[in-house]
Amino acid sequence: MDVTTPMFPSAYDLKAPVGAEGWEDLYPYYLKFQPALREKEDQKFWFCDSQHWPNPFKPFDTMTVEFAVKCLGQYNTRHYLVPPANGVDYRIHNGYVYMSPIGVPAEDIEARIPQFMERAGHYFQNWPTLLENWHKKVKANIDEMESISFEKLPAVVPLEWIKDGVGLDNTTALTENYDRMIQLIYRTWQYHFEFLNLGYAAYLDFFGFMKGQFPTIPDQAIAKMVQGHNSDLFRPDDEIKKLARLAVELGIADALKTGSVDAALAAVGAQENGSKWIAAWEAAKDPWFNYTTGNGFYSTDKYWNEHLEIPLGYLRDYIVRVQAGETIERPMDALHAERDRIASEYEEMMSPEAAEAFQGKLGLARTVYPYVEDHNFYIEHWSMGVFWKKMRSLSKLLHEEGFWPTEDGMFYLDRNEVRDVIFDYGNAWATGGDWAGPTYWPDEIERRKRIIDALATQAPQPALNNPPELITEPFTIMLWGITSESIKNWIGGDEDSDDLVGMAASPGAVEGIARVIRSPDQLDEIQQGEILVAPVTAPSWAPVFGKIQATVTDIGGMMSHAAIVCREYGLPAVTGTGSASSRIKTGDKIRVDGNTGKVTILS
């Protein structure tokens, strides 16, 4: 990159928005840029991960980035010893998280190769068995979280405990259950990355092989060779589609079209075939309604099983389309045909030796690739949904005991402060005195709320410090869509041009009306045939993909959820544009070319 290109600002010079002064108090010391480390940290290039964490953090919610990124790093650095890549350094600044990949010194890479081959090779050779065990571990973890509850402290210790010589009081379970929940969600994130990094590694190995054989092969062609898998991440959407078809077949569709959830279900129950449909609805709820419209990283995310109006809304849309004679299922036959066609055409151009290696690498990539999406349902959706539900119950309990004025007050504390509150609660109960929290926390929570609200008024800087001349780290390119070209767009994109350039993430070209969405709460605004434009999409937005023509995002690479979901649903997509959601307005007519990565504002 030209040395005259302006650098991004340093975190140390980037001021907080008005009203957010003192934001540093909300987060632990190790998550902030430290003045004593400025010289070192100003030498690094940091990018804002608004793909996974698009909103400022409440203190409690920072746990998600801490556990996720720490556990990502441990598998690269300590478990598998990925030859060129350690973990990712991360900091919170002005409420947003910034990341900087940590490479392996060139002189250490060669020594890591045999260790990686042995460790990762064991997983690749035993993938089905180890993955089956993974499912057992994750489900056991979920079951244990579900078994934990938080109870208000009683007037006295139960008499039976006295007679049985238990020797403990009720605060013991309260403290132990909280600590156990934190440890269980920490385990959850370790399990998350047990297979994920290997899924990416196998795909990247296949990707590198294809680039070596055919240097000009489009990235998209390689990605399409592994498309068309039946991911559990898409099961919630598939279940809603099946329920829509069943409703039409049973003749009870009209009963579902109006009113609240309770009213609609009651109307269905009164129909002759209603009980059969309701049984199918109930069967789908466990586990497939453990699904959020967000990404699972925030305590405010809404889950289907707690907000049944969300899946019912998608169901009603599908019923209308089924009654109109539309095909609502994913085009699996077409995806498989295209996948196999591309693979065959490239294989025919290879030598026999290369073709043999191609089959091995493609086979491994197709075996492990589904996990790249599957894990998201079991971790971000199901596991995190149970965790947030339990944490909300604890926050509500302490709200009812007077510690904060609203049910969500606890999330303005960090996880260690919550432990202090639990002790404060139990301590005063034990001594017969008054707990201190109700006189301290309401004002402090209000102060923190004002700060977080102020942080949300200012979009984050996309990056910090001087960008490298060339981005080569494959995870950064594949997952986040951060390339040398995208950085140029961030620094000096032509604001006067009607064109935006991003990553050609899913093929096809369409024209249509844009619908800019910044929150899952806006999804019901999307109209049939519009083009979805967003800072980032969540995998759980899949039910609206039947309405839209294409997707455009600010951030994300070829392996981002937006790119994968669009390929699986046969929709054009351009990701990593940097500024589409701010440059494009709802109602604009735009052209999206998922073959070239170009988005044009037509009018």
Side-chain angles (χ1 to χ4, degrees):
M1 186 169 292
D2 190 330
V3 295
T4 62
T5 300
M7 293 190 302
F8 292 105
S10 164
Y12 299 92
D13 299 328
L14 195 59
K15 304 302 181 184
V18 175
E21 296 81 6
W23 66 265
E24 297 89 347
D25 299 340
L26 277 57
Y27 309 113
Y29 71 92
Y30 52 83
L31 288 184
K32 295 175 290 193
F33 289 99
Q34 298 291 335
L37 297 175
R38 175 166 187 170
E39 182 177 355
K40 181 178 181 180
E41 298 200 326
D42 271 354
Q43 296 303 309
K44 299 179 182 179
F45 174 66
W46 304 82
F47 63 87
C48 181
D49 187 1
S50 56
Q51 176 169 301
H52 294 98
W53 292 277
N55 305 313
F57 289 99
K58 292 179 181 177
F60 193 86
D61 296 3
T62 60
M63 190 188 320
T64 62
V65 71
E66 293 178 74
F67 290 176
V69 187
K70 179 268 178 187
C71 293
L72 180 158
Q74 75 184 55
Y75 277 99
N76 279 8
T77 309
R78 308 298 176 185
H79 284 253
Y80 302 129
L81 285 80
V82 175
N86 281 320
V88 179
D89 215 353
Y90 59 106
R91 303 284 186 273
I92 291 178
H93 191 73
N94 285 345
Y96 296 93
V97 64
Y98 289 84
M99 296 189 173
S100 182
I102 301 173
V104 175
E107 63 271 18
D108 295 340
I109 291 176
E110 186 173 354
R112 291 171 67 141
I113 294 175
Q115 296 180 84
F116 174 78
M117 295 299 290
E118 180 179 11
R119 291 163 180 252
H122 176 76
Y123 268 76
F124 290 143
Q125 293 162 17
N126 298 279
W127 191 270
T129 302
L130 290 169
L131 188 57
E132 181 182 5
N133 186 54
W134 181 89
H135 279 278
K136 292 177 181 177
K137 291 185 299 189
V138 171
K139 184 59 167 65
N141 217 51
I142 291 170
D143 289 344
E144 187 172 350
M145 285 195 291
E146 283 281 21
S147 73
I148 289 174
S149 61
F150 298 99
E151 306 293 337
K152 290 183 181 180
L153 298 176
V156 295
V157 171
L159 180 60
E160 303 81 54
W161 292 18
I162 304 299
K163 292 183 176 180
D164 292 343
V166 172
L168 301 171
D169 76 354
N170 301 76
T171 66
T172 307
L174 196 61
T175 302
E176 289 179 348
N177 285 347
Y178 175 73
D179 288 345
R180 186 59 182 159
M181 283 298 299
I182 300 302
Q183 287 304 310
L184 287 169
I185 207 61
Y186 183 47
R187 282 175 176 259
T188 293
W189 283 101
Q190 298 206 50
Y191 294 152
H192 178 285
F193 290 99
E194 181 183 358
F195 286 80
L196 183 60
N197 295 15
L198 294 178
Y200 284 133
Y203 178 78
L204 287 168
D205 179 56
F206 174 62
F207 182 89
F209 172 80
M210 293 304 297
K211 286 291 187 180
Q213 292 289 313
F214 307 99
T216 60
I217 184 174
D219 294 0
Q220 200 174 93
I222 303 173
K224 288 167 72 173
M225 291 187 212
V226 297
Q227 71 183 11
H229 59 279
N230 288 310
S231 172
D232 284 346
L233 184 61
F234 303 142
R235 275 292 296 275
D237 185 33
D238 291 341
E239 292 295 319
I240 295 296
K241 290 173 178 174
K242 287 191 290 186
L243 287 167
R245 287 208 176 276
L246 182 61
V248 174
E249 290 168 9
L250 295 176
I252 53 90
D254 289 344
L256 286 164
K257 287 184 177 179
T258 58
S260 67
V261 175
D262 290 341
L265 295 180
V268 170
Q271 303 288 314
E272 182 179 352
N273 295 317
S275 60
K276 182 176 180 180
W277 189 90
I278 288 177
W281 166 268
E282 291 297 326
K285 285 165 63 176
D286 186 14
W288 306 114
F289 285 15
N290 290 285
Y291 203 52
T292 174
T293 57
N295 57 20
F297 292 131
Y298 292 95
S299 56
T300 51
D301 283 350
K302 293 180 179 178
Y303 285 78
W304 285 15
N305 54 7
E306 296 176 285
H307 298 271
L308 292 174
E309 70 277 5
I310 296 172
L312 181 61
Y314 295 140
L315 175 68
R316 287 168 170 166
D317 285 342
Y318 281 136
I319 285 174
V320 172
R321 295 177 59 200
V322 170
Q323 290 177 324
E326 294 183 33
T327 298
I328 60 174
E329 289 73 24
R330 281 194 295 145
M332 296 299 289
D333 290 344
L335 292 172
H336 289 160
E338 180 72 355
R339 176 191 70 184
D340 296 340
R341 179 190 67 79
I342 293 173
S344 295
E345 289 179 357
Y346 278 99
E347 184 178 6
E348 288 173 0
M349 294 185 281
M350 297 180 190
S351 68
E353 296 79 9
E356 182 178 359
F358 168 78
Q359 283 296 333
K361 292 178 185 296
L362 176 60
L364 178 61
R366 286 181 177 175
T367 296
V368 304
Y369 182 76
Y371 180 85
V372 171
E373 289 297 283
D374 280 359
H375 79 278
N376 199 276
F377 174 75
Y378 294 97
I379 303 299
E380 280 93 330
H381 292 269
W382 194 355
S383 296
M384 290 304 300
V386 174
F387 176 75
W388 292 128
K389 177 177 65 177
K390 297 297 181 176
M391 291 299 98
R392 285 194 295 270
S393 73
L394 177 59
S395 182
K396 181 180 178 182
L397 183 157
L398 293 166
H399 155 67
E400 291 173 349
E401 296 289 57
F403 277 80
W404 29 77
T406 58
E407 289 188 4
D408 67 344
M410 189 182 86
F411 300 105
Y412 291 91
L413 283 63
D414 67 39
R415 67 179 183 275
N416 295 313
E417 289 174 327
V418 172
R419 201 173 193 281
D420 289 342
V421 167
I422 292 172
F423 185 81
D424 176 20
Y425 177 42
N427 181 56
W429 174 85
T431 62
D434 296 322
W435 44 69
T439 62
Y440 174 78
W441 283 113
D443 288 345
E444 176 59 16
I445 288 171
E446 183 58 32
R447 181 184 77 88
R448 296 181 182 190
K449 185 178 187 303
R450 287 195 300 268
I451 289 174
I452 293 169
D453 290 345
L455 290 172
T457 64
Q458 181 172 292
Q461 279 285 334
L464 303 171
N465 301 332
N466 197 31
E469 292 188 9
L470 185 64
I471 300 288
T472 59
E473 202 284 311
F475 285 100
T476 305
I477 296 170
M478 288 285 180
L479 183 55
W480 286 287
I482 297 174
T483 64
S484 301
E485 184 64 32
S486 66
I487 289 175
K488 289 178 182 177
N489 291 337
W490 293 349
I491 294 175
D494 185 356
E495 294 292 332
D496 296 325
S497 172
D498 291 329
D499 293 336
L500 296 96
V501 179
M503 187 163 286
S506 184
V510 298
E511 293 182 7
I513 301 301
R515 173 68 64 174
V516 180
I517 297 294
R518 296 190 173 277
S519 165
D521 293 336
Q522 296 178 276
L523 290 176
D524 60 358
E525 298 174 8
I526 297 174
Q527 302 299 308
Q528 191 73 33
E530 292 183 328
I531 294 173
L532 172 63
V533 180
V536 64
T537 70
S540 53
W541 294 12
V544 304
F545 281 23
K547 285 185 171 184
I548 63 176
Q549 291 195 71
T551 298
V552 180
T553 66
D554 293 350
I555 192 168
M558 287 294 295
M559 298 296 283
S560 66
H561 293 303
I564 293 172
V565 173
C566 282
R567 289 196 295 271
E568 292 296 326
Y569 280 75
L571 294 174
V574 175
T575 59
T577 62
S579 60
S581 69
S582 57
R583 294 271 306 279
I584 298 170
K585 308 301 180 186
T586 292
D588 285 350
K589 186 176 182 180
I590 64 175
R591 176 178 172 82
V592 178
D593 192 335
N595 304 306
T596 63
K598 185 176 179 181
V599 180
T600 304
I601 302 173
L602 301 173
S603 61

